[in-house]
Amino acid sequence: MKEKWMGVVDLYGRYSQRILSIAGSAYLAVALLSYCLLFKQSQSVWNDVAVIGLDLIRKAAFIIFLISILYNVWKKKLDWKLCGGFFLLSGLVTFFSKDAEPIKMFFLLTALSVLPFDFILKKYYNVQSFILLLVITLTAFGVIENILYDKDRMRFGLGFDWTTTAAVLLLHILILYECVRRYKWLRSEVYLYLLGIMVIYLFTNSRFIFIMSVLFLGFVILQQKFRFFSCEKKWLRIALTYLPVGFFILSSIIFLLYDPSNGVWKFFNSALSDRLALGHSGLLKYGITIFGQPIRWVGYSFKMASGTYNYIDNSYVRFFLESGIVNILFYILISSIGIWDLYKKRQPRKIASFSFLMILGVIEPFFFNPLFNPFLIYGYKALNKMILKKTAQRRLEKTL
């Protein structure tokens, strides 16, 4: 019996990365599809069957994630103390926030961290590109309704449940392409991405995402030509490492200092589409918690929840309010370790992309979402590698 069991384990080990890759890609695709309206508008039997099918794929992926985590802990590729601590933290946040996302993040980050990171980036790029093209194509042919969410600013959804989603997804695809490309940017590629940015902006009127997209595209073109961003300066390494905690502290201070009666603050709040007022109200209303709290975010979407609009478009403060101080400090830690490790390995394109996502997190809520940000996986991977190395060194010292 033991021999048969070991044979099954060995067989799984032989194909474990391939199985995990398929499960990760399937889960990522299904999770991203939840942001579109493909299965939200129709009430047909086929639609119900499709929803059940997608849910089964999601659950099967989590089973494979669990098996992969247990297998790699057994093989000592994952540190059991780190996995146990992260699982406990995620479980506590899930319990106190009444939200399953923290525990889902644990499974996704921990399981996929055993895969090569370049491979992960390619998978993210391929899946995100496929989903965006699929949804926009189905919308163009009328399969999905192109909902007009804001009549005053003429903002369409392009098949997604909120008007900025298509623009945000394209920007993340652009950032991922900078990481996975093997050759210099071709002029045709620059024009193609610029055209996509312009078209999506005309439909969604997503001003900040449009500006950030153009800025990033301009940065990579200038970097390709002049090579002004490098891994030679120590001060830059330190500055980038402290960027996540810096943005968290800075965002919190700005929101707390916001004064609606002050003309200067009112001007900046108006320019930032009421982001300062919403962040200020959120911090005062919800305050500091250790492991998070249940918050019902009310914003403009396909099915807008009743209540006062309170949606905070800042990754750092939003994540802090809903998941607590301990959880955000852990995610800030893995983000900092990730960028430090990339700097040590001299990966300027990945460093620039990761840093840009950190900046984007100040005005959008997607930085701590592993469906959009694969660098969270890299940060966890780097932390796990660091702990395993120190454990091996301690064992070696004991034997000497």
Side-chain angles (χ1 to χ4, degrees):
M1 184 68 181
K2 186 178 179 181
E3 290 180 357
K4 288 184 178 180
W5 172 249
M6 291 306 296
V8 172
V9 173
D10 289 339
L11 182 65
Y12 171 79
R14 211 176 306 162
Y15 299 100
S16 59
Q17 290 204 349
R18 186 177 299 177
I19 295 170
L20 182 59
S21 168
I22 294 171
S25 299
Y27 175 75
L28 184 61
V30 170
L32 287 174
L33 278 175
S34 68
Y35 286 88
C36 81
L37 304 178
L38 183 58
F39 304 108
K40 296 181 180 180
Q41 293 175 311
S42 175
Q43 302 297 322
S44 67
V45 175
W46 289 110
N47 182 75
D48 294 338
V49 171
V51 170
I52 293 171
L54 292 175
D55 188 55
L56 288 175
I57 292 172
R58 190 183 294 108
K59 289 176 180 177
F62 278 117
I63 292 172
I64 293 172
F65 291 163
L66 175 60
I67 293 171
S68 176
I69 291 169
L70 294 174
Y71 175 79
N72 284 288
V73 167
W74 177 61
K75 283 290 187 178
K76 294 182 170 57
K77 292 182 180 180
L78 289 172
D79 181 75
W80 71 270
K81 292 181 181 178
L82 176 61
C83 288
F86 188 22
F87 178 76
L88 178 61
L89 173 60
S90 302
L92 286 169
V93 175
T94 293
F95 175 79
F96 283 98
S97 66
K98 311 300 181 188
D99 185 2
E101 287 305 312
I103 206 72
K104 291 179 183 178
M105 291 173 70
F106 160 78
F107 281 108
L108 187 64
L109 266 62
T110 307
L112 296 187
S113 67
V114 300
L115 297 173
F117 187 58
D118 285 339
F119 180 78
I120 293 172
L121 288 173
K122 289 177 183 176
K123 286 293 180 183
Y124 265 74
Y125 174 76
N126 291 335
V127 172
Q128 289 186 2
S129 300
F130 171 74
I131 294 298
L132 181 62
L133 288 173
L134 173 67
V135 173
I136 290 179
T137 302
L138 292 176
T139 304
F141 283 95
V143 178
I144 305 176
E145 184 181 353
N146 188 17
I147 294 178
L148 178 61
Y149 287 103
D150 188 340
K151 294 181 180 179
D152 294 331
R153 292 173 56 186
M154 295 301 292
R155 306 186 72 184
F156 291 89
L158 290 179
F160 289 93
D161 59 4
W162 175 230
T163 186
T164 61
T165 307
V168 167
L169 199 51
L170 179 61
L171 176 53
H172 282 80
I173 292 167
L174 178 63
I175 291 171
L176 288 171
Y177 183 68
E178 168 64 4
C179 297
V180 302
R181 65 178 176 84
R182 294 183 179 180
Y183 47 84
K184 290 185 177 182
W185 280 77
L186 302 176
R187 188 174 296 180
S188 58
E189 292 174 330
V190 175
Y191 290 154
L192 182 63
Y193 272 109
L194 194 57
L195 177 63
I197 292 167
M198 290 293 299
V199 170
I200 288 181
Y201 169 70
L202 291 174
F203 277 97
T204 64
N205 198 10
S206 304
R207 293 173 297 183
F208 290 112
I209 300 300
F210 171 75
I211 292 170
M212 296 295 280
S213 300
V214 173
L215 285 176
F216 185 78
L217 191 58
F219 170 84
V220 297
I221 294 169
L222 292 174
Q223 169 66 9
Q224 180 173 289
K225 188 172 183 179
F226 299 107
R227 304 286 180 182
F228 57 87
F229 184 84
S230 67
C231 299
E232 305 299 326
K233 299 174 182 178
K234 186 177 180 180
W235 68 266
L236 185 59
R237 179 181 184 178
I238 295 171
L240 291 176
T241 301
Y242 284 100
L243 209 56
V245 69
F247 279 140
F248 170 54
I249 294 172
L250 184 63
S251 298
S252 301
I253 291 174
I254 289 176
F255 287 156
L256 287 172
L257 291 177
Y258 170 73
D259 181 4
S261 63
N262 184 285
V264 177
W265 280 113
K266 287 177 68 176
F267 169 79
F268 282 108
N269 181 56
S270 177
L272 292 170
S273 301
D274 218 29
R275 280 173 167 82
L276 299 183
L278 290 167
H280 177 78
S281 299
L283 280 172
L284 293 182
K285 180 178 180 180
Y286 300 110
I288 298 174
T289 60
I290 298 176
F291 296 115
Q293 59 192 310
I295 299 176
R296 189 179 64 133
W297 298 111
V298 179
Y300 298 115
S301 63
F302 172 59
K303 289 184 178 179
M304 184 176 176
S306 59
T308 305
Y309 188 99
N310 68 343
Y311 203 86
I312 297 176
D313 285 315
N314 179 291
S315 296
Y316 304 96
V317 171
R318 176 190 169 93
F319 193 69
F320 160 65
L321 291 176
E322 63 189 9
S323 68
I325 187 67
V326 178
N327 203 42
I328 193 173
L329 288 178
F330 177 76
Y331 277 87
I332 285 174
L333 174 66
I334 63 174
S335 298
S336 296
I337 289 175
I339 204 160
W340 179 273
D341 195 68
L342 287 171
Y343 213 103
K344 186 172 64 176
K345 292 178 179 177
R346 299 180 179 275
Q347 299 283 329
R349 283 191 288 161
K350 293 185 179 71
I351 293 167
S353 298
F354 195 5
S355 302
F356 201 85
L357 286 176
M358 292 180 192
I359 298 170
L360 183 63
V362 176
I363 60 169
E364 288 295 334
F366 296 99
F367 179 73
F368 293 107
N369 187 337
L371 299 179
F372 291 86
N373 183 8
F375 287 97
L376 294 174
I377 301 172
Y378 185 82
Y380 186 84
K381 183 184 185 75
L383 177 59
N384 179 71
K385 185 178 178 181
M386 184 187 302
I387 293 173
L388 288 177
K389 186 176 180 181
K390 288 184 178 180
T391 302
Q393 287 175 345
R394 283 197 298 267
R395 288 175 180 170
L396 182 62
E397 288 171 0
K398 287 180 181 180
T399 58
L400 295 176

